[in-house]
Amino acid sequence: MNAAALRRVLRMLASQDIFREDDQGLYHLTPAAEFLRSGASRSLRDAVIMFSEDYMWRSAGHLTAAVETGSSSFEQLYGKPFFEWLGATPDAASTFHASMVQLSETGIERIIDAYDFPATGTVVDVGGGRGALLREILEKNQHLNGVLQDDRSALREHVLDTPQTADRWRLEEGSFFESVPVGGNVYVLKHIIHNWDDEQSTAILRNCRSAMKDDARVLIIDPVLPEPGNPHFGWALDLVMLSTLTGKERTRQEFEAILNGAGLRISNIFPVQTLGEYSIIEAVAA
């Protein structure tokens, strides 16, 4: 690594308070840089590495192709959909899944604080990865049970087995495109729906509607785009979806459309202030 070139990068980051340069030209960590450390609480190291990967930059660099065709630039570059390519690329998959774990665990406490979970019943975490959100829900609601659904590789690394959650959870392997666990009182989809187009999203939500009790609720945790012209990090995230996946960020009206198509309706929206501006969209049977 070239020291002079590295210093040019570090001094730019220091201008943004990511590092601090002292009088001897040495660089030190700042509170913001703590998130770059692998051992730090709520580390974002893997997420930063993932967003710096070549496939992310190439996809963003070919955004024009996505705009011209309406299909992701990633798929045009790599010849297959993102998740299919990821399944055949172990190194990239390892970094991606590690980054998703870190991003998923960001703001969990605020999500739980923003929503009044029922005193009893079963919470189903659909596509919940390792189950960090479900674990926190169960630990803070001692009379709730939980079901974590995801594929085998995610469930193998689950984090639900704690003294506070003993005997109150189970794992269910499967694809939410095929079915979701039946009989739940609350179905949670955190950072799931925005990955998929309207048809795919409606299919996931329709499976939730088929599995849920009549008085159950579905919680979608994603950005809700504001009126045009208003600042929101979701506008930029929407371009990441356009260049890489088939999904998109949605307005309230767009969420209403896919929910109605699945036999559901919005009953409330709860804002959550995390590292970005997310919301909990609560839906019930239509």
Side-chain angles (χ1 to χ4, degrees):
M1 185 173 294
N2 184 276
L6 176 60
R7 180 173 183 271
R8 292 166 67 179
V9 174
L10 289 172
R11 69 184 181 185
M12 185 280 292
L13 293 172
S15 74
Q16 303 297 314
D17 295 324
I18 303 299
F19 296 103
R20 176 179 62 82
E21 183 179 7
D22 65 21
D23 294 338
Q24 285 73 48
L26 301 176
Y27 289 86
H28 306 267
L29 293 174
T30 62
E34 284 293 316
F35 294 106
L36 300 176
R37 297 176 57 240
S38 58
S41 175
R42 304 303 186 201
S43 171
L44 294 174
R45 175 183 179 273
D46 291 318
V48 171
I49 291 173
M50 185 271 291
F51 280 115
S52 302
E53 291 278 19
D54 181 66
Y55 65 82
M56 295 294 292
W57 284 100
R58 287 190 68 201
S59 298
H62 286 76
L63 182 62
T64 301
V67 173
E68 290 174 344
T69 64
S71 63
S72 78
S73 46
F74 177 92
E75 189 167 345
Q76 296 179 61
L77 287 167
Y78 291 88
K80 58 183 66 174
F82 177 75
F83 287 114
E84 183 180 334
W85 174 86
L86 203 64
T89 316
D91 290 344
S94 177
T95 301
F96 176 82
H97 291 307
S99 72
M100 290 301 103
V101 169
Q102 291 181 346
L103 291 172
S104 179
E105 292 181 355
T106 299
I108 283 179
E109 296 88 350
R110 294 183 182 180
I111 289 170
I112 295 173
D113 290 342
Y115 189 76
D116 186 19
F117 285 88
T120 60
T122 299
V123 176
V124 180
D125 195 352
V126 180
R130 301 196 310 170
L133 174 60
L134 183 59
R135 179 193 63 203
E136 295 293 325
I137 292 171
L138 297 182
E139 288 184 351
K140 294 192 175 183
N141 297 272
Q142 293 295 314
H143 299 289
L144 284 177
N145 295 313
V147 181
L148 177 63
Q149 182 195 31
D150 214 309
D151 61 33
R152 183 177 303 175
S153 61
L155 297 182
R156 226 179 357 241
E157 299 181 2
H158 77 85
V159 295
L160 292 175
D161 195 7
T162 70
Q164 298 95 322
T165 64
D167 302 321
R168 291 192 292 122
W169 57 269
R170 65 180 176 86
L171 307 177
E172 185 159 326
E173 181 184 340
S175 167
F176 44 57
F177 285 118
E178 297 175 1
S179 65
V180 300
V182 300
N185 300 92
V186 180
Y187 286 80
V188 180
L189 298 120
K190 181 173 184 283
H191 305 345
I192 300 296
I193 295 301
H194 79 152
N195 288 329
W196 307 99
D197 64 26
D198 288 349
E199 182 178 354
Q200 293 166 315
S201 296
T202 301
I204 297 168
L205 293 168
R206 191 177 293 120
N207 285 338
C208 291
R209 177 65 187 95
S210 297
M212 63 191 268
K213 297 178 178 179
D214 287 339
D215 60 349
R217 293 169 263 177
V218 174
L219 306 182
I220 300 172
I221 303 172
D222 272 333
V224 177
L225 295 174
E227 293 297 318
N230 289 290
H232 195 285
F233 94 111
W235 300 119
L237 187 58
D238 188 45
L239 296 186
V240 176
M241 296 296 149
L242 176 61
S243 64
T244 311
L245 299 170
T246 63
K248 62 181 181 179
E249 307 309 323
R250 294 177 170 89
T251 63
R252 178 184 177 121
Q253 292 73 25
E254 289 172 321
F255 276 112
E256 286 175 342
I258 60 174
L259 285 163
N260 291 344
L264 297 162
R265 63 176 177 83
I266 294 177
S267 56
N268 216 329
I269 295 180
F270 304 89
V272 180
Q273 293 300 323
T274 60
L275 291 183
E277 297 166 321
Y278 287 89
S279 294
I280 300 173
I281 303 150
E282 180 189 65
V284 296

